[in-house]
PDB file of all heavy atoms in Angstrom:
ATOM      1  N   ARG B1015     -17.441 -10.770   4.330  1.00 85.00           N
ATOM      2  CA  ARG B1015     -16.581 -10.630   3.050  1.00 85.00           C
ATOM      3  C   ARG B1015     -16.429  -9.177   2.643  1.00 85.00           C
ATOM      4  O   ARG B1015     -15.488  -8.785   2.210  1.00 85.00           O
ATOM      5  CB  ARG B1015     -17.279 -11.473   2.005  1.00 85.00           C
ATOM      6  CG  ARG B1015     -16.477 -12.639   1.493  1.00 85.00           C
ATOM      7  CD  ARG B1015     -17.192 -13.461   0.501  1.00 85.00           C
ATOM      8  NE  ARG B1015     -17.527 -14.782   0.999  1.00 85.00           N
ATOM      9  CZ  ARG B1015     -18.795 -15.326   1.004  1.00 85.00           C
ATOM     10  NH1 ARG B1015     -19.804 -14.598   0.570  1.00 85.00           N
ATOM     11  NH2 ARG B1015     -18.903 -16.459   1.555  1.00 85.00           N
ATOM     12  N   LEU B1016     -17.566  -8.495   2.821  1.00 85.00           N
ATOM     13  CA  LEU B1016     -17.529  -7.097   2.324  1.00 85.00           C
ATOM     14  C   LEU B1016     -17.068  -6.129   3.375  1.00 85.00           C
ATOM     15  O   LEU B1016     -17.038  -4.938   3.173  1.00 85.00           O
ATOM     16  CB  LEU B1016     -18.934  -6.697   1.870  1.00 85.00           C
ATOM     17  CG  LEU B1016     -19.478  -7.439   0.609  1.00 85.00           C
ATOM     18  CD1 LEU B1016     -20.853  -6.988   0.274  1.00 85.00           C
ATOM     19  CD2 LEU B1016     -18.566  -7.144  -0.571  1.00 85.00           C
ATOM     20  N   GLY B1017     -16.799  -6.706   4.635  1.00 83.00           N
ATOM     21  CA  GLY B1017     -16.219  -5.844   5.663  1.00 83.00           C
ATOM     22  C   GLY B1017     -17.211  -5.008   6.390  1.00 83.00           C
ATOM     23  O   GLY B1017     -16.897  -3.956   6.965  1.00 83.00           O
ATOM     24  N   TYR B1018     -18.537  -5.440   6.369  1.00 85.00           N
ATOM     25  CA  TYR B1018     -19.535  -4.691   7.179  1.00 85.00           C
ATOM     26  C   TYR B1018     -19.690  -5.341   8.511  1.00 85.00           C
ATOM     27  O   TYR B1018     -19.447  -6.557   8.685  1.00 85.00           O
ATOM     28  CB  TYR B1018     -20.820  -4.698   6.452  1.00 85.00           C
ATOM     29  CG  TYR B1018     -20.790  -3.738   5.283  1.00 85.00           C
ATOM     30  CD1 TYR B1018     -20.698  -4.252   3.992  1.00 85.00           C
ATOM     31  CD2 TYR B1018     -20.912  -2.346   5.433  1.00 85.00           C
ATOM     32  CE1 TYR B1018     -20.762  -3.381   2.865  1.00 85.00           C
ATOM     33  CE2 TYR B1018     -20.975  -1.439   4.414  1.00 85.00           C
ATOM     34  CZ  TYR B1018     -20.809  -2.005   3.095  1.00 85.00           C
ATOM     35  OH  TYR B1018     -20.841  -1.156   2.049  1.00 85.00           O
ATOM     36  N   PRO B1019     -20.090  -4.618   9.588  1.00 76.00           N
ATOM     37  CA  PRO B1019     -20.125  -5.095  10.927  1.00 76.00           C
ATOM     38  C   PRO B1019     -21.264  -6.075  11.075  1.00 76.00           C
ATOM     39  O   PRO B1019     -22.331  -5.861  10.697  1.00 76.00           O
ATOM     40  CB  PRO B1019     -20.392  -3.876  11.789  1.00 76.00           C
ATOM     41  CG  PRO B1019     -21.212  -2.975  10.889  1.00 76.00           C
ATOM     42  CD  PRO B1019     -20.702  -3.218   9.505  1.00 76.00           C
ATOM     43  N   CYS B1020     -20.951  -7.227  11.757  1.00 84.00           N
ATOM     44  CA  CYS B1020     -22.027  -8.213  12.008  1.00 84.00           C
ATOM     45  C   CYS B1020     -21.587  -9.087  13.150  1.00 84.00           C
ATOM     46  O   CYS B1020     -21.639 -10.348  12.996  1.00 84.00           O
ATOM     47  CB  CYS B1020     -22.481  -8.963  10.793  1.00 84.00           C
ATOM     48  SG  CYS B1020     -21.094  -9.580   9.864  1.00 84.00           S
ATOM     49  N   ASP B1021     -21.080  -8.501  14.246  1.00 89.00           N
ATOM     50  CA  ASP B1021     -20.779  -9.378  15.394  1.00 89.00           C
ATOM     51  C   ASP B1021     -22.059  -9.538  16.252  1.00 89.00           C
ATOM     52  O   ASP B1021     -23.142  -9.005  15.954  1.00 89.00           O
ATOM     53  CB  ASP B1021     -19.676  -8.784  16.258  1.00 89.00           C
ATOM     54  CG  ASP B1021     -19.974  -7.420  16.821  1.00 89.00           C
ATOM     55  OD1 ASP B1021     -21.159  -7.158  17.046  1.00 89.00           O
ATOM     56  OD2 ASP B1021     -19.006  -6.658  17.084  1.00 89.00           O
ATOM     57  N   VAL B1022     -22.023 -10.416  17.316  1.00 94.00           N
ATOM     58  CA  VAL B1022     -23.141 -10.763  18.025  1.00 94.00           C
ATOM     59  C   VAL B1022     -23.934  -9.518  18.546  1.00 94.00           C
ATOM     60  O   VAL B1022     -25.226  -9.461  18.460  1.00 94.00           O
ATOM     61  CB  VAL B1022     -22.854 -11.657  19.225  1.00 94.00           C
ATOM     62  CG1 VAL B1022     -24.134 -12.144  19.857  1.00 94.00           C
ATOM     63  CG2 VAL B1022     -22.129 -12.878  18.798  1.00 94.00           C
ATOM     64  N   GLY B1023     -23.174  -8.591  19.066  1.00 93.00           N
ATOM     65  CA  GLY B1023     -23.816  -7.352  19.596  1.00 93.00           C
ATOM     66  C   GLY B1023     -24.680  -6.647  18.544  1.00 93.00           C
ATOM     67  O   GLY B1023     -25.792  -6.138  18.847  1.00 93.00           O
ATOM     68  N   GLN B1024     -24.174  -6.597  17.325  1.00 94.00           N
ATOM     69  CA  GLN B1024     -24.888  -5.948  16.199  1.00 94.00           C
ATOM     70  C   GLN B1024     -26.077  -6.770  15.742  1.00 94.00           C
ATOM     71  O   GLN B1024     -27.081  -6.255  15.322  1.00 94.00           O
ATOM     72  CB  GLN B1024     -23.940  -5.598  15.045  1.00 94.00           C
ATOM     73  CG  GLN B1024     -23.248  -4.296  15.402  1.00 94.00           C
ATOM     74  CD  GLN B1024     -21.778  -4.383  14.952  1.00 94.00           C
ATOM     75  OE1 GLN B1024     -21.186  -5.441  14.685  1.00 94.00           O
ATOM     76  NE2 GLN B1024     -21.117  -3.213  14.862  1.00 94.00           N
ATOM     77  N   LEU B1025     -25.877  -8.056  15.791  1.00 96.00           N
ATOM     78  CA  LEU B1025     -26.962  -9.009  15.293  1.00 96.00           C
ATOM     79  C   LEU B1025     -28.139  -9.152  16.262  1.00 96.00           C
ATOM     80  O   LEU B1025     -29.341  -9.383  15.845  1.00 96.00           O
ATOM     81  CB  LEU B1025     -26.470 -10.363  15.000  1.00 96.00           C
ATOM     82  CG  LEU B1025     -25.558 -10.476  13.817  1.00 96.00           C
ATOM     83  CD1 LEU B1025     -24.645 -11.683  13.769  1.00 96.00           C
ATOM     84  CD2 LEU B1025     -26.258 -10.331  12.427  1.00 96.00           C
ATOM     85  N   LEU B1026     -27.899  -8.950  17.556  1.00 96.00           N
ATOM     86  CA  LEU B1026     -28.756  -9.245  18.614  1.00 96.00           C
ATOM     87  C   LEU B1026     -30.106  -8.570  18.470  1.00 96.00           C
ATOM     88  O   LEU B1026     -31.174  -9.186  18.548  1.00 96.00           O
ATOM     89  CB  LEU B1026     -28.168  -9.025  19.963  1.00 96.00           C
ATOM     90  CG  LEU B1026     -28.748  -9.841  21.190  1.00 96.00           C
ATOM     91  CD1 LEU B1026     -28.731 -11.253  20.945  1.00 96.00           C
ATOM     92  CD2 LEU B1026     -27.838  -9.490  22.451  1.00 96.00           C
ATOM     93  N   PRO B1027     -30.160  -7.259  18.184  1.00 95.00           N
ATOM     94  CA  PRO B1027     -31.457  -6.562  18.051  1.00 95.00           C
ATOM     95  C   PRO B1027     -32.332  -7.188  16.881  1.00 95.00           C
ATOM     96  O   PRO B1027     -33.556  -7.191  17.024  1.00 95.00           O
ATOM     97  CB  PRO B1027     -31.179  -5.158  17.713  1.00 95.00           C
ATOM     98  CG  PRO B1027     -29.693  -4.911  18.010  1.00 95.00           C
ATOM     99  CD  PRO B1027     -29.029  -6.353  18.050  1.00 95.00           C
ATOM    100  N   TYR B1028     -31.650  -7.660  15.822  1.00 96.00           N
ATOM    101  CA  TYR B1028     -32.350  -8.297  14.726  1.00 96.00           C
ATOM    102  C   TYR B1028     -32.949  -9.586  15.173  1.00 96.00           C
ATOM    103  O   TYR B1028     -34.097  -9.929  14.849  1.00 96.00           O
ATOM    104  CB  TYR B1028     -31.465  -8.448  13.527  1.00 96.00           C
ATOM    105  CG  TYR B1028     -31.034  -7.085  12.971  1.00 96.00           C
ATOM    106  CD1 TYR B1028     -29.875  -6.434  13.414  1.00 96.00           C
ATOM    107  CD2 TYR B1028     -31.779  -6.479  12.043  1.00 96.00           C
ATOM    108  CE1 TYR B1028     -29.435  -5.244  13.088  1.00 96.00           C
ATOM    109  CE2 TYR B1028     -31.433  -5.156  11.606  1.00 96.00           C
ATOM    110  CZ  TYR B1028     -30.249  -4.544  12.010  1.00 96.00           C
ATOM    111  OH  TYR B1028     -29.822  -3.349  11.641  1.00 96.00           O
ATOM    112  N   GLY B1029     -32.232 -10.350  15.990  1.00 96.00           N
ATOM    113  CA  GLY B1029     -32.768 -11.593  16.553  1.00 96.00           C
ATOM    114  C   GLY B1029     -33.959 -11.418  17.381  1.00 96.00           C
ATOM    115  O   GLY B1029     -34.973 -12.071  17.354  1.00 96.00           O
ATOM    116  N   ARG B1030     -33.826 -10.283  18.276  1.00 96.00           N
ATOM    117  CA  ARG B1030     -34.933 -10.100  19.197  1.00 96.00           C
ATOM    118  C   ARG B1030     -36.183  -9.660  18.446  1.00 96.00           C
ATOM    119  O   ARG B1030     -37.260 -10.043  18.789  1.00 96.00           O
ATOM    120  CB  ARG B1030     -34.517  -8.960  20.143  1.00 96.00           C
ATOM    121  CG  ARG B1030     -33.435  -9.415  21.086  1.00 96.00           C
ATOM    122  CD  ARG B1030     -33.611  -8.750  22.478  1.00 96.00           C
ATOM    123  NE  ARG B1030     -32.497  -9.161  23.352  1.00 96.00           N
ATOM    124  CZ  ARG B1030     -31.340  -8.636  23.559  1.00 96.00           C
ATOM    125  NH1 ARG B1030     -31.164  -7.428  23.020  1.00 96.00           N
ATOM    126  NH2 ARG B1030     -30.428  -9.136  24.386  1.00 96.00           N
ATOM    127  N   SER B1031     -36.028  -8.804  17.349  1.00 96.00           N
ATOM    128  CA  SER B1031     -37.187  -8.416  16.565  1.00 96.00           C
ATOM    129  C   SER B1031     -37.759  -9.709  15.891  1.00 96.00           C
ATOM    130  O   SER B1031     -38.983  -9.814  15.733  1.00 96.00           O
ATOM    131  CB  SER B1031     -36.819  -7.369  15.564  1.00 96.00           C
ATOM    132  OG  SER B1031     -36.464  -6.253  16.209  1.00 96.00           O
ATOM    133  N   ALA B1032     -36.913 -10.584  15.483  1.00 96.00           N
ATOM    134  CA  ALA B1032     -37.303 -11.749  14.733  1.00 96.00           C
ATOM    135  C   ALA B1032     -38.160 -12.621  15.702  1.00 96.00           C
ATOM    136  O   ALA B1032     -39.179 -13.182  15.228  1.00 96.00           O
ATOM    137  CB  ALA B1032     -36.174 -12.574  14.199  1.00 96.00           C
ATOM    138  N   ALA B1033     -37.807 -12.707  16.935  1.00 96.00           N
ATOM    139  CA  ALA B1033     -38.539 -13.487  17.905  1.00 96.00           C
ATOM    140  C   ALA B1033     -39.921 -12.868  18.066  1.00 96.00           C
ATOM    141  O   ALA B1033     -40.907 -13.607  18.197  1.00 96.00           O
ATOM    142  CB  ALA B1033     -37.773 -13.467  19.252  1.00 96.00           C
TER     143      ALA B1033
END
Side-chain angles (χ1 to χ4, degrees):
Chain B
R1015 245 175 247 125
L1016 294 177
Y1018 287 103
C1020 46
D1021 63 27
V1022 185
Q1024 278 141 345
L1025 291 165
L1026 206 52
Y1028 296 88
R1030 292 212 178 100
S1031 292

